[in-house]
Amino acid sequence: QGLASFCATAHRIASDIRLLAHLKEIEEPFGKNQIGSSAMAYKRNPMRSERICGLARFVIGLTQTPYTTAAEQWMERTLDDSSCRRLTLPEPFLATDGLLDILGNVASGLVVYHNTVARNLAAELPFMATENLLMAAVQKGGDRQEVHEVIRAHSQAAAQQVKAEGKPNDLLDRLADEPSFAGIDLHATLDPAQYVGRAPEQVDAFIAEVVAPIRDRYRDTLSQQAELKV
């Protein structure tokens, strides 16, 4: 269960990397002469992350076998017990060991394309800011239901324009012409820092209280590098 729990976390990390790679925001390490796809030469598939997901899925799936063995075991140990044990005991450890090698390689060489992240965020941020805009309009004396309907109608129209016509998100321009938002600095709501809550403090605390002690404990092994063939 402990290995499966860890592998579930690793699977989630690798899945997020794969999704962000699709958006061209993040990229795992990619060798100079590495082939991303045998059919499409331009592709840089996140092959390491895909392998992490595959190994993690294998380990997670193995958790069922010991429970089935325990449930179906007769009054004495038989070969259907020991034959399963020979597989379900060593294989998850071997698979997790390989997964850790790949995960460490990906983490140490991860590439983040900050400009692409900023561009994608800017395209969605006006939609994310609508709750703050609603509150600002209400504080100025607007009726909440009426302001909500104004935002809803313009948000749907702006989203349709983005999806159907491939045009930029013009939600703020639409709202700027509405009397409900007169005198409100709409662009002041586009600071991403307003929408992350206490995430920075929580990350810092987690690193200091959880990660740092583990790194100190295994300081002598942190410099080890696994050799991967991709």
Side-chain angles (χ1 to χ4, degrees):
Q1 284 183 327
L3 290 177
S5 178
F6 165 75
C7 285
T9 300
H11 195 301
R12 174 59 188 274
I13 293 171
S15 294
D16 286 349
I17 291 173
R18 293 169 66 186
L19 291 171
L20 292 172
H22 175 71
L23 296 175
K24 297 180 174 59
E25 293 187 2
I26 280 181
E27 202 167 72
E28 66 177 33
F30 199 87
K32 181 179 180 180
N33 298 316
Q34 181 178 330
I35 304 298
S37 169
S38 59
M40 292 166 277
Y42 73 93
K43 297 190 76 173
R44 296 168 68 95
N45 291 347
M47 299 168 64
R48 293 169 171 85
S49 297
E50 292 170 2
R51 291 177 182 177
I52 291 172
C53 290
L55 290 170
R57 199 174 304 149
F58 170 73
V59 175
I60 293 169
L62 284 177
T63 57
Q64 180 180 351
T65 303
Y67 288 115
T68 304
T69 299
E72 297 181 356
Q73 189 173 0
W74 293 3
M75 294 182 181
E76 59 179 312
R77 184 184 66 78
T78 53
L79 292 180
D80 62 326
D81 172 21
S82 58
S83 60
C84 280
R85 288 169 62 87
R86 289 190 181 98
L87 294 173
T88 57
L89 289 179
E91 290 296 331
F93 283 95
L94 293 171
T96 303
D97 183 66
L99 183 156
L100 279 166
D101 285 342
I102 304 172
L103 186 60
N105 177 270
V106 170
S108 63
L110 197 65
V111 179
V112 179
Y113 295 107
H114 297 279
N115 291 333
T116 302
V117 173
R119 182 191 66 196
N120 292 343
L121 180 58
E124 292 296 322
L125 201 53
F127 296 128
M128 299 168 60
T130 52
E131 183 176 359
N132 287 17
L133 293 173
L134 171 64
M135 295 169 60
V138 171
Q139 289 174 352
K140 287 281 188 177
D143 179 88
R144 189 188 187 285
Q145 291 303 115
E146 293 178 0
V147 175
H148 183 279
E149 177 57 25
V150 169
I151 294 177
R152 188 198 67 80
H154 283 306
S155 296
Q156 296 294 329
Q160 180 63 20
Q161 175 177 282
V162 170
K163 293 182 289 186
E165 303 177 36
K167 293 182 178 180
N169 184 348
D170 66 346
L171 175 59
L172 295 187
D173 294 333
R174 294 170 182 264
L175 295 179
D177 295 330
E178 290 288 342
S180 302
F181 294 95
I184 296 177
D185 185 358
L186 301 180
H187 291 278
T189 62
L190 298 186
D191 178 9
Q194 297 183 38
Y195 305 96
V196 297
R198 294 191 62 254
E201 292 84 356
Q202 290 173 323
V203 170
D204 289 340
F206 180 77
I207 291 175
E209 298 170 12
V210 179
V211 177
I214 295 175
R215 289 180 60 85
D216 289 339
R217 190 185 316 157
Y218 299 102
R219 185 184 302 108
D220 295 337
T221 61
L222 290 177
S223 59
Q224 297 180 4
Q225 297 290 332
E227 181 180 351
L228 299 184
K229 295 182 180 180
V230 181

